[in-house]
Amino acid sequence: MLKFILVASMVILFLIFSIPILIIEKQIGKTDPEKKGRHSLAIVRFMFRLILKVAGVHITVKGIENIPKDQPVLYVGNHRSYFDILVGYTTVPTPLGFMAKKEMEKIPLLSNWMRNVNCLFLDRENIREGLKAILEGVSKVKSGISIWIFPEGTRNDADDYLELMPFKEGSLKIAEKTGCPVIPVAITGTAEVYEAHFPRMKSSQVTIQFGKPFIIKGLEPEKKKFVGAHTRELICDMLVEEKRLREEAREDGLVKDQRPAGCN
């Protein structure tokens, strides 16, 4: 419980004592929005790194060379934990924002910081508001900011992280409308930090792998028609390989290479 108390206290104290910073950032944003974005992102990334350190999260990053340095992309990842967002912000080296659920917008101070670091709020129950969030995402990408989405629609609490939920086909509209590359992202180990044994918090080895980018227009017709399913398949492949490597390391070469039903 000690780690949970420390992390919760850090978050609460940061939100309270950062009020003057939010006021200053708001004033900066009136004349220089890009400067405001850089400042806010640097502050949030610093806090996220500190939280991850206190929580005992050790991150292995794979495929960092697949991230373009000169253009925004749409990151598409599996979703197991709130810590996915912290890991994403601290490993992606370029400007970034996440697509978050609408309910987060109601949380004072936290929602202010989320807006400052390019987060968009998606109302899954309101089609018109959902379209508005997508158009905002399109605008962000056109301005050079990458967006990260979780097409499963919510956190997946399945016991086996290979059991991905179906990806919503309409979730990749941002990439379709902008023509930006899509990067599939596979994350393992984040649920073991907190969600797997709520309310305790434990140290965990987290692996994040960035797959090779692809352009939707360049896909074969069948894959283009079901681009959500195609992206899910790519993430499944990375998760299966990561599980194989973990089992190989743990079992001294006795590798289970069978593809589980969840990723069929």
Side-chain angles (χ1 to χ4, degrees):
M1 285 293 290
L2 179 59
K3 284 184 179 180
F4 173 77
I5 294 171
L6 285 174
V7 169
S9 298
M10 287 171 62
V11 173
I12 294 171
L13 290 174
F14 170 74
L15 291 177
I16 293 173
F17 287 104
S18 68
I19 292 175
I21 300 176
L22 284 172
I23 295 173
I24 294 172
E25 290 296 309
K26 185 176 181 179
Q27 294 302 315
I28 293 174
K30 291 179 179 179
T31 57
D32 195 341
E34 290 187 9
K35 184 177 181 180
K36 171 189 172 183
R38 290 196 305 271
H39 284 181
S40 296
L41 198 55
I43 292 169
V44 168
R45 280 174 168 160
F46 172 80
M47 282 303 304
F48 281 175
R49 290 190 181 99
L50 190 58
I51 289 171
L52 290 169
K53 184 175 182 178
V54 171
V57 177
H58 305 281
I59 304 174
T60 298
V61 183
K62 299 181 179 181
I64 194 72
E65 68 278 3
N66 290 325
I67 298 178
K69 297 179 180 179
D70 57 352
Q71 69 177 130
V73 305
L74 181 70
Y75 294 98
V76 181
N78 62 313
H79 193 22
R80 299 278 295 171
S81 168
Y82 287 116
F83 277 86
D84 294 336
I85 298 170
L86 279 70
V87 172
Y89 268 120
T90 54
T91 55
V92 171
T94 54
L96 175 67
F98 274 77
M99 188 73 76
K101 59 184 180 181
K102 186 71 173 179
E103 291 78 2
M104 300 294 289
E105 195 174 19
K106 300 177 182 178
I107 304 176
L109 300 180
L110 177 61
S111 59
N112 296 88
W113 276 109
M114 291 177 72
R115 292 189 193 92
N116 281 7
V117 293
N118 308 305
C119 283
L120 306 171
F121 299 96
L122 178 64
D123 187 343
R124 303 185 186 96
E125 306 299 325
N126 189 315
I127 296 177
R128 180 177 295 180
E129 288 299 313
L131 178 59
K132 181 180 177 181
I134 290 173
L135 293 177
E136 288 176 357
V138 169
S139 178
K140 292 282 188 183
V141 169
K142 288 182 177 180
S143 69
I145 298 169
S146 296
I147 297 295
W148 190 309
I149 64 169
F150 298 116
E152 290 174 281
T154 186
R155 283 183 296 114
N156 186 344
D157 59 1
D159 291 336
D160 190 339
Y161 61 78
L162 295 175
E163 296 181 10
L164 299 186
M165 294 184 287
F167 279 21
K168 300 181 186 302
E169 287 298 332
S171 59
L172 279 76
K173 286 292 184 184
I174 292 174
E176 291 180 1
K177 291 182 178 295
T178 62
C180 74
V182 175
I183 293 185
V185 187
I187 305 178
T188 58
T190 48
E192 286 67 37
V193 181
Y194 179 60
E195 283 81 1
H197 34 71
F198 172 83
R200 293 178 297 164
M201 194 170 285
K202 295 184 178 181
S203 299
S204 178
Q205 178 62 50
V206 170
T207 299
I208 180 168
Q209 181 172 357
F210 298 97
K212 293 182 179 180
F214 66 86
I215 303 294
I216 293 178
K217 289 183 179 180
L219 294 175
E220 299 170 7
E222 188 65 18
K223 292 179 179 179
K224 189 186 302 183
K225 183 178 180 181
F226 300 104
V227 66
H230 171 63
T231 310
R232 179 182 182 275
E233 181 74 12
L234 295 174
I235 294 173
C236 271
D237 288 342
M238 290 190 285
L239 291 174
V240 168
E241 177 63 12
E242 180 60 28
K243 187 172 186 177
R244 185 189 70 80
L245 293 173
R246 289 192 176 203
E247 287 179 345
E248 186 176 46
R250 185 174 64 251
E251 299 175 15
D252 193 25
L254 299 178
V255 181
K256 298 178 182 179
D257 202 19
Q258 182 177 2
R259 190 173 178 83
C263 276
N264 283 341

